[in-house]
Amino acid sequence: MKYLIFALVICVAFPCHAEPTEKCSEREAFAAETVTDYLDSWKNVYLFFKQFNHCYDAAIAEGAQDAIQHLWVEKWASLPEMIALTNKDSAFKKFIWQSIRDETFPKNSFVRFVKHATRECTDVAKEFCNAVIQESKRSNAQPFNKPE
């Protein structure tokens, strides 16, 4: 149902694909911010990225980052879907991977995220998991030696 609502908002409000060089109109910004509430799957995150990447700023970016972080922490099993999408679209991969370094990632959630990458990584996600682990070392958010 959420996917249907998400798709309807995008299709009705913006029938054409937005180019990244376009300015974000007020109407688009409102729609993009509204749609962040429906980023509950990697498919929806990808649709959001394709439609509203040129609006990625402030509250819109914050809402999208929260959703991406939630997917990583609470829906780790869906990671192969994210990997498939990033493998087919290098711009989406860059967009997603920059989120690993998001400074607003709550530390307790980031620690859970790193635990997933360390202990539950599938073969298709090794490159991504290694990037997560490297970022945890860089940011000193290593869960490896901390009590659970």
Side-chain angles (χ1 to χ4, degrees):
M1 183 66 173
K2 280 187 175 185
Y3 175 72
L4 178 61
I5 292 169
F6 178 82
L8 287 173
V9 167
I10 286 180
C11 291
V12 170
F14 308 99
C16 299
H17 171 71
E19 295 300 319
T21 56
E22 289 182 24
K23 285 189 173 184
C24 185
S25 70
E26 278 186 48
R27 182 176 161 207
E28 289 173 309
F30 177 78
E33 190 170 355
T34 301
V35 165
T36 61
D37 291 337
Y38 300 96
L39 301 181
D40 58 352
S41 70
W42 291 112
K43 184 176 185 177
N44 285 352
V45 172
Y46 185 68
L47 290 171
F48 168 85
F49 168 77
K50 295 306 273 184
Q51 189 66 42
F52 297 111
N53 191 32
H54 65 290
C55 292
Y56 199 73
D57 193 19
I60 297 163
E62 184 179 330
Q65 288 297 327
D66 288 349
I68 290 167
Q69 293 165 2
H70 177 79
L71 287 169
W72 283 335
V73 174
E74 301 298 334
K75 297 185 178 182
W76 181 260
S78 70
L79 191 67
E81 182 183 355
M82 182 203 82
I83 297 299
L85 292 166
T86 59
N87 284 344
K88 80 174 190 176
D89 187 333
S90 61
F92 184 61
K93 180 177 182 176
K94 183 178 178 182
F95 169 76
I96 290 296
W97 285 43
Q98 76 184 6
S99 300
I100 298 170
R101 290 191 166 185
D102 181 24
E103 293 180 5
T104 66
F105 208 141
K107 184 165 177 109
N108 62 335
S109 293
F110 187 73
V111 168
R112 287 183 60 203
F113 174 47
V114 174
K115 283 182 183 179
H116 287 313
T118 305
R119 300 176 183 166
E120 303 168 37
C121 193
T122 63
D123 287 340
V124 298
K126 288 290 184 203
E127 181 186 9
F128 177 76
C129 292
N130 287 335
V132 171
I133 293 165
Q134 289 306 311
E135 178 58 23
S136 75
K137 290 176 181 177
R138 187 195 70 74
S139 68
N140 270 339
Q142 299 179 37
F144 317 123
N145 300 321
K146 294 184 180 180
E148 302 213 17

